[in-house]
Amino acid sequence: MTRIGFSALGLIAGLALSAATPFVRAHDAEQYAKAAPNNNPLFINMTTGDSWRGWMGLHFAHATLKQGHPVAIFLNLDAVKLAAKMGAQEKRPSMQRVPREILADFIRDGGIVLMCGPCMAEFGLTMNDLVPGVQMGRPGYTQDFIFAENARTLTW
């Protein structure tokens, strides 16, 4: 079988498994923590504002959410630009959507997106400039996601 055949078979198997697996909606730290012991939540610290790199991280986060793991993404440094409703976001041939679109779907499906306030200010963004459903991170609240029982962390 060719590499393309193996890739297609893997993609079909992955889609079938993700469609058959229920996922937990976790819209806040309390629900995230309640789901944590059984579902190994993921906290992604995203630091890149590059559209393609950001899209890859957001795509990974969304796929993980669909597999049943609570996922929280913390957008900081120039990654805050990924959540902006307006402004240029490059769409490469490998990307089905731009980052703001995948973020909206991620939030709709139960994912949590936290923002760095000082980082937003650095780029002149306010909460009104962002995809609906994004939450402001803050000391204590953000750490509730990082240190939830059985949580895994990843920096993208």
Side-chain angles (χ1 to χ4, degrees), residues 7 17 20 23 34 37 42-43 54 57 67 78-79 91 97 106-107 110 113 116 119-121 129 133 137 145 156:
S7 296
L17 284 173
F23 60 88
K34 285 180 183 175
L42 178 62
F43 179 87
Q67 291 176 355
D78 66 337
K91 185 176 179 196
R97 309 172 275 180
F106 174 78
I107 292 167
V113 178
C116 167
C119 303
M120 285 175 44
D129 299 322
F145 296 96
W156 203 280

Side-chain angles (χ1 to χ4, degrees), residues 58 73 75 79-87 89 97-109 111-115 120 125-136:
L58 298 172
I73 300 170
L75 298 176
V80 297
K81 297 184 296 184
L82 299 175
K85 290 188 279 191
M86 305 299 280
Q89 288 188 341
R97 309 172 275 180
V98 293
R100 69 175 60 91
E101 294 168 346
I102 198 167
L103 269 173
D105 289 343
F106 174 78
I107 292 167
R108 184 201 67 234
D109 289 342
I112 298 165
V113 178
L114 304 170
M115 295 295 284
M120 285 175 44
L125 296 170
T126 67
M127 291 301 285
N128 291 332
D129 299 322
L130 306 178
V131 171
V134 171
Q135 301 176 37
M136 181 60 71

Side-chain angles (χ1 to χ4, degrees), residues 42 44 55-65 71 102 154 156:
L42 178 62
I44 297 177
W55 178 84
M56 287 296 299
L58 298 172
H59 182 71
F60 177 84
H62 201 193
T64 302
L65 179 72
V71 180
I102 198 167
L154 177 64
W156 203 280

Side-chain angles (χ1 to χ4, degrees), residues 28-30 32-37 40-45 70 72 74 114 138-154:
D28 61 31
E30 185 177 329
Y32 183 87
K34 285 180 183 175
N40 298 316
L42 178 62
F43 179 87
I44 297 177
N45 176 44
F74 180 54
L114 304 170
R138 60 186 180 279
Y141 186 64
T142 303
Q143 284 78 1
D144 287 345
F145 296 96
I146 298 169
F147 297 110
E149 188 175 346
N150 293 333
R152 306 316 197 259
T153 59
L154 177 64

Side-chain angles (χ1 to χ4, degrees), residues 18 21-25 39 64-69 108-111:
S18 67
T21 306
F23 60 88
V24 175
R25 293 184 184 269
N39 294 3
T64 302
L65 179 72
K66 288 181 176 182
Q67 291 176 355
H69 300 279
R108 184 201 67 234
D109 289 342

